[in-house]
Amino acid sequence: MRSSRVAPIPSRALRPALLAVAFAAAGLVLAACGRGPAPGGDALPYRDPALPVDRRVEDLLARMTPEEKFRQLFMVAGAPEADRSVWKDGIFGLQVRGDADARSAAGRLNAVQRFFVEETRLGIPIVPFEEALHGLVAPGATAFPQAIALAASWDEGLMAEAAGAVAAETRSRGVRQVLSPVVNIARDVRWGRVEETYGEDPLLASRLAAAFVRAFERRGVVATPKHFVANVGAGGRDSYPIADGERRLRETDFRPFLAAIRDGGARSIMTAYNSWDGTPCSAHPRLLTGILKAEWGFRGFVISDACSVGGAFSLHLTAGSYAESGRQAWASGLDVVFQTEIGHAGLFREAIVGGRVARERVDDAVRRVLRAKMELGLFENPYVDPAEAERLNGRDEHRALARRAARESVVLLKNESGVLPLGGPGRGPRSIAVVGPDAVEARLGGYSGPGIRKVALLDGIRDRAGADATVRYAEGCGRGPGAGAESGDEGEAAIEEAVGLARASGLAVVAAGIEEGEARDRSDIRLPGRQAEMIRRVAATGTPTVVVLFGGSAVEMRDWIGEADAVLMAWYPGEEGGAAVAEVLWGDADPGGRLPITFPLSVGQLPLVYDHLPTGRFDGYLDLPGDPLFPFGHGLSYAEFRYEGLAVEPATVPPGGTARVACTVTNAGPRAGTEVVQLYARDLLASVARPVLELEGFRKISLGPGASARVEFEVGPEELAMLDAGLRRVVEPGDFEILIGRSSRDIRLKGILTVAR
């Protein structure tokens, strides 16, 4: 039994006697209300793990007051305040942050959990939650490469390993829900949150999302794919309204959410800030109830993004008060309102406690929350072992995995002069100029913890070059426009220092980066500040120049790429990134990444994606072609790969049939290498307009010199289906062009697969 008192917690000396009196009084009151404790003291049905979860949920639900139900539909950032009476009716969950090591953080969370389990009337545990996009956002946790970098690896197995490591660290601290991953499709690279996504393609995003979610859910941590359904609108602007029709959403944006639920087992979904077709996504009955819950059969719980529910009142102007915005959201299918302060509860409380939302809908939402808490085992095992948290977080195996993931995500964009790799007999430069603040800052990207022992690019180069080489650093110009080293005589002096250092060296490595992030969308996708000028002037010295780009989205390069000898996209490569990039520069590892987004020639081409619908007439501009600078799927290797022997068997299949598509890939060069074999398809005649090209499969392989591999794909209803004019999923008869290559523009083999009538 639990005390029903609401006064501040008494001293430890008085607590036993007071609790005994309170317990007895509470038992009498609850018995009179028909919700008294079962015989045997604490042996209440909802506490019995031997009973079916649904029965336990119904028992607990029947004991709850309207206030207690409301609190289970409310989540907040922060630990309980000194006056804990405000928490007496419980809460869904808390984001408990603090500057502490893993052991201390686990102990602190145990203390918070103990209050709810032992000092609230029903003893309902909370769901501690946190961000974990590419590592838990907490001191002492391993920082892996950013999400877009993991997407660039094109490796579901690697994603599963990395997510599994993050999930293990997360659970060991007592955190049982992560507000990750971001599965929105990045269709416009101006969006500041492209770095958090898995790129522009729905198939790639779906497979990686499922791998990430599955790794967390299997370890008892609820994953929360977000933001349902799209969180970026016209102009690449965050949270701008969505006017796309349901066809577009179903063909593109819905797919990674559906994969995360059906293939990954996601038990939570987060809504978007913006509106779709005039209705806020956090209060959209078609999205939340009609599609997510009814059509897809989602049994988990839906949460809002932080403070987004109130946007119906303060931003969208579709509700006349905060209470009404809450009513609309809960009535439409939202289950849990996420706010940043416990004091915000009063803004939404009346919608539930005042009976403005139908009891059936309220109870449905509470059931979803309670079911998750029981499935997680929180009622039986609410606490964690701080020693285990200390052992798991930041362990050497996780750091080694972070380095491997960084190597696999680096994309070699250009290497026309063959300046890379630097390693090999007689090849290593004896003097290296490293230029740019991104070489020493070791930025991790958005939603990152501090990392443990961050390895910057300069550190990685110095370690790999060895004692026989001279490595010198010049800050050069930075990323910011118009301040400090970016302008005037000081800025000119900084660039001149970098140029002088490059002129006196055998190799120049210029580290350049962009500025982006949540609420930091870009109207200009060129390198900020005077970085482009610095690259041109360094390259003009005649010293071989390698540019290493740090960032989470595309960069316009027309004004400098012609002068650079080699260009690598390092993304935000995690805390081991500097070492990993150096290994790729020297050829200790083949650059294993491929672009998950299209890099345009100019911002004026945006939005630019590879799988667009056919145009009505023209595809270019008066002053530019319609082609990208680097296409989706692009990435060079130090090896040379030959494709041959395409087979499509059988060449004709029935509408529900499956064909085997295969080819042989051979490493025709003298070095071992990594290749991503990409399968695309094109519907040659359909009842509605179809994309000019669609990714339908990919395989990542590693081959030694002269080695070959037979790569096979299955192409069937899943790959060939489309939505007809009535939005019904069908496979139409006709011919499909099958294309295999190294990117969406570098196609090596073509064939035809026919679906019979």
Side-chain angles (χ1 to χ4, degrees):
M1 294 188 301
R2 302 293 170 232
S3 169
S4 61
R5 57 189 169 78
V6 299
I9 301 171
S11 66
R12 292 185 179 275
L14 294 176
R15 192 176 299 174
L18 291 175
L19 285 178
V21 174
F23 284 170
L28 291 173
V29 172
L30 292 174
C33 295
R35 297 199 305 269
D42 273 351
L44 299 170
Y46 76 86
R47 294 190 171 281
D48 186 354
L51 294 177
V53 167
D54 286 345
R55 181 178 171 187
R56 295 173 65 193
V57 167
E58 293 305 318
D59 177 73
L60 179 52
L61 183 65
R63 300 172 187 275
M64 297 175 71
T65 67
E67 184 69 34
E68 287 167 334
K69 291 179 180 179
F70 164 66
R71 295 293 171 154
Q72 289 302 311
L73 306 182
F74 197 78
M75 59 195 292
V76 67
E81 302 166 4
D83 179 9
R84 293 189 173 182
S85 64
V86 299
W87 306 91
K88 66 184 178 63
D89 295 302
I91 199 165
F92 164 83
L94 293 171
Q95 188 176 29
V96 182
R97 284 183 172 175
D99 295 327
D101 56 80
R103 175 187 281 268
S104 300
R108 182 174 182 233
L109 204 150
N110 278 344
V112 172
Q113 187 74 279
R114 186 170 290 109
F115 167 78
F116 289 96
V117 170
E118 301 181 11
E119 301 189 42
T120 60
R121 185 177 76 88
L122 294 172
I124 302 175
I126 62 168
V127 175
F129 63 90
E130 190 47 273
E131 303 281 357
L133 188 64
H134 56 115
L136 189 67
V137 179
T142 308
F144 285 81
Q146 177 60 287
I148 193 69
L150 293 172
S153 75
W154 289 57
D155 191 327
E156 297 168 75
L158 179 61
M159 171 63 85
E161 287 187 72
V166 177
E169 294 189 2
T170 298
R171 169 135 190 206
S172 73
R173 293 171 178 250
V175 175
R176 301 304 297 274
Q177 180 185 8
V178 294
L179 308 186
S180 308
V182 175
V183 301
N184 296 131
I185 302 299
R187 308 292 283 187
D188 194 320
V189 295
R190 289 171 290 188
W191 186 29
R193 302 187 73 171
V194 170
E195 59 165 318
E196 301 177 40
T197 76
Y198 299 141
E200 72 183 50
D201 180 74
L203 176 70
L204 179 62
S206 295
R207 291 192 177 177
L208 296 177
F212 181 100
V213 169
R214 190 182 304 117
F216 275 84
E217 293 285 358
R218 287 179 175 176
R219 289 165 177 80
V221 180
V222 174
T224 311
K226 60 185 185 184
H227 311 79
F228 194 62
V229 61
N231 211 42
V232 54
R237 288 172 287 192
D238 187 72
S239 301
Y240 257 56
I242 299 299
D244 295 324
E246 192 168 319
R247 170 181 298 280
R248 158 67 187 278
L249 295 183
R250 286 184 176 275
E251 291 178 337
T252 303
D253 299 85
F254 281 173
R255 288 175 59 184
F257 285 99
L258 189 56
I261 293 168
R262 293 186 176 174
D263 300 333
R267 284 181 279 191
S268 181
I269 294 290
M270 178 186 282
T271 60
Y273 280 107
N274 56 2
S275 63
W276 172 43
D277 198 25
T279 301
C281 291
S282 59
H284 205 299
R286 174 69 177 147
L287 279 177
L288 306 184
T289 298
I291 294 173
L292 179 61
K293 292 181 176 179
E295 181 182 331
W296 295 358
F298 179 62
R299 298 184 73 247
F301 56 93
V302 182
I303 69 173
S304 67
D305 206 339
C307 300
S308 68
V309 170
F313 167 62
S314 61
L315 297 171
H316 301 294
L317 306 182
T318 54
S321 67
Y322 284 112
E324 173 60 15
S325 68
R327 186 203 66 78
Q328 291 178 0
W330 276 304
S332 298
L334 188 80
D335 298 311
V336 182
V337 168
F338 179 19
Q339 293 293 124
T340 55
E341 302 289 343
I342 186 60
H344 296 166
L347 300 174
F348 304 96
R349 176 179 177 275
E350 184 62 22
I352 300 295
V353 177
R356 297 177 60 182
V357 180
R359 179 177 177 178
E360 293 79 9
R361 172 76 271 271
V362 173
D363 286 353
D364 172 65
V366 177
R367 282 189 186 96
R368 292 170 181 271
V369 167
L370 297 180
R371 184 189 302 122
K373 290 187 174 186
M374 290 181 181
E375 289 175 348
L376 290 173
L378 285 169
F379 282 84
E380 294 75 50
N381 299 292
Y383 310 121
V384 294
D385 180 3
E388 181 72 356
E390 182 179 49
R391 184 184 72 82
L392 282 175
N393 279 259
R395 62 190 306 184
D396 290 343
E397 294 92 331
H398 293 175
R399 289 178 57 82
L401 177 58
R403 182 184 291 199
R404 175 159 62 91
R407 289 196 301 263
E408 291 297 316
S409 69
V410 172
V411 182
L412 180 59
L413 297 174
K414 176 184 177 181
N415 193 30
E416 291 180 2
S417 64
V419 66
L420 296 178
L422 302 176
R427 290 204 54 159
R430 308 312 334 139
S431 61
I432 304 172
V434 180
V435 175
D438 273 287
V440 297
E441 290 183 10
R443 293 189 295 158
L444 300 176
Y447 285 99
S448 300
I452 302 171
R453 296 182 300 277
K454 294 189 291 186
V455 181
L457 178 62
L458 179 61
D459 299 325
I461 289 176
R462 280 176 171 160
D463 289 344
R464 182 57 186 82
D468 293 337
T470 300
V471 179
R472 294 174 293 176
Y473 171 70
E475 181 178 9
C477 68
R479 298 181 300 275
E486 314 311 321
S487 62
D489 294 340
E490 187 176 353
E492 183 62 27
I495 294 177
E496 279 294 336
E497 179 189 10
V499 170
L501 189 62
R503 187 177 290 113
S505 303
L507 175 76
V509 177
V510 180
I514 64 176
E515 294 290 338
E516 64 195 324
E518 186 169 358
R520 303 184 74 199
D521 308 323
R522 299 180 297 157
S523 64
D524 187 343
I525 63 171
R526 294 174 297 179
L527 289 173
R530 299 175 65 182
Q531 294 180 98
E533 176 190 351
M534 183 173 68
I535 293 171
R536 291 194 301 268
R537 290 170 64 176
V538 166
T541 64
T543 299
T545 300
V546 176
V547 178
V548 180
L549 295 171
F550 292 91
S553 192
V555 176
E556 183 180 323
M557 309 180 199
R558 285 190 301 159
D559 53 352
W560 58 265
I561 192 169
E563 282 74 35
D565 294 285
V567 181
L568 284 87
M569 188 68 193
W571 312 103
Y572 298 114
E575 63 182 68
E576 284 285 325
V581 173
E583 289 172 344
V584 171
L585 289 173
W586 263 264
D588 303 328
D590 199 41
R594 303 294 184 267
L595 289 181
I597 52 176
T598 298
F599 275 44
L601 280 165
S602 169
V603 70
Q605 295 174 303
L606 298 177
L608 181 66
V609 292
Y610 86 95
D611 58 343
H612 60 82
L613 295 177
T615 68
R617 291 186 72 189
F618 308 120
D619 193 32
Y621 299 84
L622 175 66
D623 54 348
L624 277 178
D627 299 330
L629 173 64
F630 296 115
F632 173 82
H634 173 75
L636 304 177
S637 170
Y638 294 148
E640 300 173 15
F641 294 100
R642 184 174 67 246
Y643 287 64
E644 56 193 355
L646 176 67
V648 180
E649 300 173 344
T652 301
V653 296
T658 298
R660 182 179 64 88
V661 176
C663 71
T664 298
V665 180
T666 300
N667 182 349
R671 301 180 59 92
T674 299
E675 180 70 319
V676 178
V677 183
Q678 301 165 40
L679 170 72
Y680 296 89
R682 182 185 180 194
D683 194 339
L684 296 180
L685 179 63
S687 60
V688 297
R690 302 291 298 134
V692 296
L693 205 64
E694 290 183 279
L695 181 71
E696 299 296 356
F698 56 91
R699 297 283 188 278
K700 191 166 190 176
I701 59 174
S702 296
L703 294 174
S708 297
R710 190 69 174 167
V711 181
E712 297 186 356
F713 301 93
E714 286 191 352
V715 178
E718 184 66 26
E719 291 74 28
L720 302 178
M722 55 168 278
L723 298 179
D724 66 11
L727 298 184
R728 295 179 295 266
R729 190 168 175 81
V730 298
V731 176
E732 293 186 340
D735 291 340
F736 292 80
E737 188 174 28
I738 303 299
L739 311 95
I740 294 180
R742 305 194 70 241
S743 79
S744 59
R745 291 295 182 105
D746 186 358
I747 300 299
R748 303 296 179 91
L749 301 170
K750 294 182 181 181
I752 296 292
L753 173 61
T754 300
V755 176
R757 294 187 179 277

